[in-house]
Every structure is written in C-alpha cells, then in structure tokens.
Amino acid sequence: MNRHAWVPDMTDKRTNATDAQRPLGLIGGVGMTEVHVYAQRKAPDGHFSGCPHVHAATDEAYYVLRGGGWVEFHDLVNGFRKLSLRVGVYAHFPPMVMHRLVSDGDLVVLGVMGNAGMAEQGEARIYFGEAVDEDEAQFDRLTSLPSQHGMEGALDRRDAAVKGYMELMRLWKDDRSRYITELRRFFDRHCLAMSALASQLSGSVEHGPMAWARATQSRIDHLPTRPDVKPHVSVNVPGFESALGMCGVLRPMRSLAYMDSHEPSLVK
C-alpha cells in the first residue's frame, strides 16, 4: 500500500502536489465517523449519552451500526422530539437542531457530516446553559477538558453539559415560553460566534463538496472522452485512530491509504 496520509479536513497534512489537489473529505465531500456513544459511566440524568450540541451551518446524519437507544432533538418549530434508534435506522437533520445521542450501553452509529472539515473548526457548540455561555473562561475550560484529562475529562465535560441540559428539559416540561427563549438565545449565540469563522467555513465548502462537484462535472463535460483519473482505491482500515468527541469515542475516517494489487487482504 502506498501511504499518502490524506487527511480530508482543514488540518490536512498532505505534502505532495498530487494529493494536495484532491478535494477534501470522502466521496462528495462528506465527513464520516464511527461513533461509540459514551457508556463508561452514566450522565447526571441517569443515561449513557453524549453532549447536547448544535451545528451552525452543516447537516448531519446517523446510521445505527450496533446497539440501540435514541436521539433527542430540539428546534424552534417543534421544541423537543425523541427518535428511537436500532440497527439499520438512518436519520439526518439540518443545522439549528440541537441533538443528543442516548445509548442503551452499546450504541455505535456511523456519523455523516455534510462538509468534511467544517465540524473540526468549531462549527458545533455544546450546550452548557446560559451561565456558562456568559462566562467565556468557564466555557473554554469545559470544552478543553478532554484534551487535558483524556477520557475522564471527556466524561466530565459531558456531565457538565447534561446538568445544563436537564434545566432546559425542565423548562420544556414546565414553561414552554422560557424554553423557546432559551433555545433561541443559544442558537443566536452560536451563530454570532460562527460569523467570525465564516471565511474558514466557506473554505471547507469550496475545497470539499464544491471541488468534488466540479471534478464530476468536468468528467461529464468531456464525455465521450475517458476521464483522466488514476485508478486508486482509497482505504481506511480500523487501527489506532480515535478521538474523544462530543458524542463519544470516535473513529474518524480521515487518513486514507491507496490499495495496490499486492495487498488483497485489505479487501476481504
């Protein structure tokens, strides 16, 4: 296998010219991650879960690979909704829908992001509640816990988020008007923060899905001429690639390697 360490996001480490010309992301510019929802200990509300969070600009999808549970949604039109998850269920949703994955203890989903690299630039925001949002130092401290303390830090961050989320759920039950006001505040706070990153987020779109679309359109435009493409088969095999994400332990499909005819075991 010829390893080119193609990392399809804005932290791309490609060094040679051929790889540097490749669009970001997987086919179509999507990002894909295997998500093992946190089940090392229960959150303060008694569930195995990830952090509630929202995206400002990109769509997301879940395809259940193993286990079960549910995903909780919050938006300004419907308020709170809950979708049961089992193997084979697929769900996708747009930005401005806050969501939290809840596991039966063994929930694994394939997470698909609409624009590879965008989420890694901070395009998602964890919900901790208004008090934390108003204290930038506290927000930064909580979000950095996994990088400082590993798994224990990731679980502590999740627990802090769920404590704030439990208050939001109380508002849903007891005061729908205040619930909507709080949800709107959170969404507006995140969109304001993301406006400062607009050029970087646009770069993810330009070098991801738009680049893939241009390459495909060029092949169509040049028919019946055969497209001038190299017959590379790109592979990501399970290994040591992992991260502590908002929802759980992640295996991001990032570093791709080219398969050649001398390694048939990779396609068993």
Side-chain angles (χ1 to χ4, degrees), residues 75-251:
D75 67 80
L76 293 174
V77 174
N78 302 283
F80 172 67
R81 290 177 289 173
K82 183 167 75 172
L83 175 69
S84 295
L85 298 177
R86 63 183 186 280
V87 172
V89 168
Y90 169 88
H92 80 233
F93 43 93
M96 295 296 100
V97 175
M98 187 164 74
H99 46 285
R100 179 178 79 139
L101 281 168
V102 180
S103 171
D104 63 2
D106 193 31
L107 179 60
V108 180
V109 303
L110 185 64
V112 183
M113 298 299 302
N115 300 277
M118 188 178 286
E120 290 81 4
Q121 296 178 61
E123 187 269 341
R125 186 180 186 91
I126 296 174
Y127 182 82
F128 294 107
E130 184 175 8
V132 174
D133 278 338
E134 295 303 317
D135 185 341
E136 189 171 340
Q138 177 72 338
F139 181 85
D140 291 343
R141 184 189 72 81
L142 290 173
T143 54
S144 66
L145 284 174
S147 63
Q148 296 180 10
H149 302 290
M151 175 61 75
E152 194 63 27
L155 295 173
D156 287 346
R157 179 182 66 175
R158 187 277 314 274
D159 290 352
V162 171
K163 287 178 181 177
Y165 181 75
M166 289 169 68
E167 174 60 18
L168 182 69
M169 289 299 298
R170 187 192 67 78
L171 291 179
W172 167 252
K173 293 175 182 176
D174 299 339
D175 192 334
R176 296 291 172 87
S177 177
R178 287 182 60 198
Y179 164 88
I180 290 295
T181 297
E182 169 59 9
L183 201 60
R184 183 180 293 113
R185 179 205 64 78
F186 176 62
F187 290 171
D188 289 347
R189 178 63 177 262
H190 185 40
C191 288
L192 177 62
M194 288 300 95
S195 66
L197 298 179
S199 62
Q200 292 175 242
L201 301 180
S202 293
S204 290
V205 178
E206 173 66 23
H207 300 295
M210 290 182 69
W212 280 90
R214 284 193 298 270
T216 303
Q217 187 62 55
S218 177
R219 297 168 192 169
I220 294 170
D221 291 343
H222 287 85
L223 292 173
T225 302
R226 295 191 309 275
D228 182 19
V229 293
K230 299 184 184 304
H232 292 311
V233 174
S234 298
V235 183
N236 179 290
V237 295
F240 299 101
E241 231 178 358
S242 66
L244 297 171
M246 291 178 290
C247 296
V249 180
L250 312 179
R251 175 197 158 204

